[in-house]
Amino acid sequence: MNFQRHRRLRRTASMRSLVRETHLHVSDFIYPLFFVEGENVKKEVPSMPGVYHISLDLLEEEIKEVESLGIQSIIVFGVPGEKDECGSSAYDHNGIVQKAIRQIKEIAPSLTVIADTCLCQFTDHGHCGVIENGYVRNDETLELLAKTAVSQAEAGADIIAPSNMMDGFVAAIRQGLDEAGYTEIPIMSYAVKYASSFYGPFRDAAHSTPQFGDRKTYQMDPANRLEALREAESDIAEGADFLMVKPALSYLDILRELKDRYPLPLVAYNVSGEYSMIKAAALNGWVDEKSIVLEKLISMKRAGADLIITYFAKDAARWLKENQ
């Protein structure tokens, strides 16, 4: 009989390791952190077991743990004490994100600090921009995004990560950063961000649920593939240094298409809903958390992601070390 003996290369663990095509490294992970006003606050987000709101007086302990695990990059989100119509605390010199960034860079100067640049956590209506007659105004929002990015760069952010999907947001932020003298600060664009139902737990964590309507006029229709390519191309033309696909798991086909077409570093955002579903199943004993998380993360790398934003970063770092 003439047939292929594929099983020869799967016979032992060392043989499987020898021929493994895709690998996870702790340096692949970007860990999201949520900082809040107040003192002595470390409060678990109800819909995201293991994820916390942390006040700045407890920041050092968290950052030291992240560093001890070998994680090299974090992305910072802030939940302000006060919100208003135009999200002014997003670009306040003493806003929660700016204060957190300054403190982190003092404690851990070599840690790469990425600032999420958006307005929804800071507006009282929960939308990602300026509202007029119930509609999010695109161009009026760009000015506020650029101010926010510059204030984050002033605080010490290493990378600016705009997430609100306004047309022209990369161009506006690039111009704002350059005019303020931050020509060396790269932009990690949430270039392909779908209007996904997987964001629910994040909105619980960031207190950013829209108070009316939804985000479908500025985030993408999950049914669309060609639109993702147009979004990526326009962000590259505007000066993006990284491209991101969000969410990751239901959009692995989009990750692969972007990887095959564009030479920029590609980021997958393993979002809150993807995290919470596994956590809930693991807490009920329905799945083996370690094996299913590592399988999920390797699928994102195999699809083309160079970096993965994941709430599992600390757990995955520990598991990878155990497996060494």
Side-chain angles (χ1 to χ4, degrees), residues 174-183:
R174 186 71 272 160
Q175 181 177 336
L177 290 172
D178 290 352
E179 289 177 354
Y182 297 107
T183 56

Side-chain angles (χ1 to χ4, degrees), residues 151-210:
S151 72
Q152 293 168 337
E154 284 175 348
D158 297 294
I159 299 173
I160 298 299
S163 61
N164 80 344
M165 290 293 283
M166 291 299 113
D167 291 336
F169 65 169
V170 173
I173 288 172
R174 186 71 272 160
Q175 181 177 336
L177 290 172
D178 290 352
E179 289 177 354
Y182 297 107
T183 56
E184 300 303 318
I185 300 295
I187 296 175
M188 178 185 288
S189 175
Y190 289 59
V192 180
K193 183 177 181 181
Y194 287 92
S196 170
S197 297
F198 285 97
Y199 302 151
F202 174 89
R203 291 171 185 168
D204 190 18
H207 297 175
S208 61
T209 302

